[in-house]
Amino acid sequence: MREFLMKLFAMSFFDTGIQITPFSGAHIAYMALIFGGIAAGYAALRHKTADKKEKALRLLAYALAISYFSDFFFHDFVYGGMNMDKLPFHICTVLCPLILVAQFNRNGHKLREPVAVLATLAPMMYLCYPASVGTGEPWCYQAVQTMFYHGVLMAWGILSMALGAVKPEISRAWKSGALLAGITLWAKMGNVMLEHNWFFLEADALYLGLVENGIIPQWLLMVINPVVYFMAVLLLYGVCHGIRKLGHRTVCVPAPVAC
């Protein structure tokens, strides 16, 4: 049985040499599937009742949780042991339990907006440059699980806003900043305890060797990373505001008196 599972979860089935490297054909195909799936989901749900929209978001949250937690049972077959990157100290991995709280806890609505904003941005950044997706073929377990997880994570974030479950207001952007600060401290604690590089606080995210080559001090990453993310948060709020304003104008043009 173990030999069968090792083969089932192997990095390669046909020795094709094909990998999901940034901007490769496999990468572009995954991007098309993920973004196309989100667009299709929005088109199918946009005119549904609020209850059906909420059920769809709950289904995405369940799928995310199953993908994340079940993955730990297969680490031995895929990685030969625990893959430390999968522990909930990276921004994408810690968003899984945060989404469960935001989606299902009775007080989760207080956390839902900043979680939805970060759940849109963090996986989008990863999916646009999947530097750590692994060396396996695009259809191997590691690649499928990684892209599926990040795709569902981003789908929950985007659809939460697009379907109206979350209505971002720039006056509440500070909540995303506070959550980023908390995630930074949480990741740093994990790095200190377990000597890893979660949230890229020990070495830069693009593997440029900025810390190793003495270009910047390591502590500066604790400032740079959350600040860069918060700048992206502000940009996303601006996009949401622009879309709402454009939509309002579109509705108001045919019937200005009614508006």
Side-chain angles (χ1 to χ4, degrees):
M1 175 60 75
R2 180 172 175 78
E3 290 182 3
F4 169 75
L5 291 173
M6 293 292 287
K7 180 64 177 176
L8 182 64
F9 291 99
M11 296 294 185
S12 174
F13 293 103
F14 309 111
D15 296 322
T16 62
I18 302 173
Q19 298 177 17
I20 307 177
T21 53
F23 315 114
S24 63
H27 176 208
I28 293 170
Y30 263 113
M31 291 278 282
L33 283 172
I34 291 169
F35 282 100
I38 294 172
Y42 172 71
L45 292 166
R46 60 181 299 191
H47 297 304
K48 300 294 184 181
T49 63
D51 183 58
K52 288 184 178 179
K53 291 175 182 178
E54 191 65 16
K55 284 181 179 179
L57 292 173
R58 287 200 295 267
L59 184 62
L60 286 173
Y62 283 128
L64 186 73
I66 291 170
S67 174
Y68 181 66
F69 292 112
S70 65
D71 183 49
F72 287 98
F73 290 95
F74 309 127
H75 280 203
D76 189 44
F77 307 116
V78 182
Y79 312 108
M82 171 66 71
N83 182 351
M84 299 289 283
D85 266 338
K86 299 297 185 87
L87 292 177
F89 291 100
H90 270 313
I91 187 168
C92 285
T93 51
V94 77
L95 280 171
C96 178
L98 288 176
I99 282 175
L100 296 180
V101 173
Q103 181 71 60
F104 299 111
N105 188 276
R106 65 179 180 179
N107 295 316
H109 62 279
K110 298 177 182 179
L111 192 63
R112 197 160 183 178
E113 182 173 324
V115 170
V117 168
L118 294 185
T120 298
L121 291 172
M124 186 180 295
M125 291 179 181
Y126 177 84
L127 290 168
C128 288
Y129 193 81
S132 59
V133 71
T135 59
E137 293 174 332
W139 43 81
C140 76
Y141 170 81
Q142 181 187 14
V144 172
Q145 192 278 333
T146 302
M147 301 304 276
F148 177 83
Y149 176 83
H150 285 86
V152 172
L153 178 61
M154 186 171 66
W156 185 89
I158 291 176
L159 292 178
S160 290
M161 293 185 288
L163 297 176
V166 169
K167 297 178 181 178
E169 292 291 343
I170 190 66
S171 61
R172 295 192 292 267
W174 66 269
K175 292 185 177 182
S176 297
L179 183 56
L180 280 168
I183 290 173
T184 301
L185 294 174
W186 172 250
K188 187 62 178 180
M189 183 186 72
N191 291 339
V192 170
M193 290 192 308
L194 300 173
E195 298 183 347
H196 202 63
N197 184 33
W198 286 295
F199 201 23
F200 304 104
L201 299 178
E202 311 303 314
D204 65 275
L206 297 178
Y207 307 102
L208 299 176
L210 299 180
V211 173
E212 295 89 332
N213 296 323
I215 299 173
I216 62 172
Q218 188 181 81
W219 64 265
L220 195 57
L221 292 175
M222 288 192 67
V223 178
I224 292 174
N225 290 3
V227 167
V228 168
Y229 265 99
F230 190 64
M231 290 173 63
V233 165
L234 294 178
L235 178 61
L236 180 59
Y237 271 96
V239 170
C240 291
H241 176 74
I243 291 173
R244 280 203 303 269
K245 194 170 183 180
L246 180 63
H248 180 70
R249 285 180 179 175
T250 302
V251 171
C252 289
V253 167
V257 176
C259 291

